[in-house]
């Protein structure tokens, strides 16, 4: 749980850095389980910063295929199916960091969305096997995170987030 001051426009404070090893290159969805620990509003104390700086692509995508990239990213955009390139998300962000939010008060909830009032799920492309970094930093005081998962499109969200699957480490071959 982030107990520091709000860093609404300043990612990188209270940095947590996780090294992960990818053995199977591909596109993965990123999802964390979080909790609003202050108050009863789904739109307050509900977000943290996320960056995956050494991936091939790191982006948000809606069901209709629209893609957004973090503001200030150095990653090349993926062309959308209509030939357009991505846009930046609504709301805060900079230096390749996404503001990642959820909106369920008073319960642990699996949701990682970006782009204010226009929710996009989070995806990352690992083009080679190897070691990568996931960075999380404090944004809203009282936002708690206890787990995150990465899973490929052949795995459903329900399967990826089952308590016996979403453990501290799951090896994927």
């Amino acid at each position: 749980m982030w107990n520091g001051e709000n860093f609404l426009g300043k990612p990188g404070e209270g940095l947590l850095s996780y090294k992960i090893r990818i053995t199977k290159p591909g596109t993965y969805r990123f999802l964390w389980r979080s909790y609003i620990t202050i108050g009863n509003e789904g739109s307050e104390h509900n977000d943290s910063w996320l960056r995956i700086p050494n991936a091939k692509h790191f982006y948000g995508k809606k069901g209709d295929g629209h893609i957004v990239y973090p503001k200030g990213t150095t990653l090349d955009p993926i062309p959308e199916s209509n030939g357009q390139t991505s846009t930046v998300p609504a709301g805060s962000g900079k230096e390749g960091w996404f503001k990642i939010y959820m909106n369920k008060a008073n319960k642990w909830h699996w949701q990682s969305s970006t782009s204010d009032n226009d929710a996009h799920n989070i995806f990352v492309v690992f083009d080679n096997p190897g070691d990568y970094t996931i960075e999380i930093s404090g944004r809203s005081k009282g936002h708690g995170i206890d787990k995150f998962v990465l899973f490929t499109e052949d795995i459903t969200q329900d399967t990826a987030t089952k308590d016996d699957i979403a453990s501290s480490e799951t090896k994927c071959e």
Side-chain angles (χ1 to χ4, degrees), residues 6-13 49 92-95 138-140:
N6 289 329
F7 287 111
L8 304 181
K10 190 176 177 188
E13 301 296 322
W49 296 106
S92 295
K94 70 183 207 180
E95 299 170 356
R139 185 173 191 282
S140 294

Side-chain angles (χ1 to χ4, degrees), residues 159-172:
T159 298
T161 59
K162 287 176 89 168
D163 283 337
D164 59 337
I165 300 293
S167 62
S168 62
E169 178 179 323
T170 302
K171 296 187 183 236
C172 301

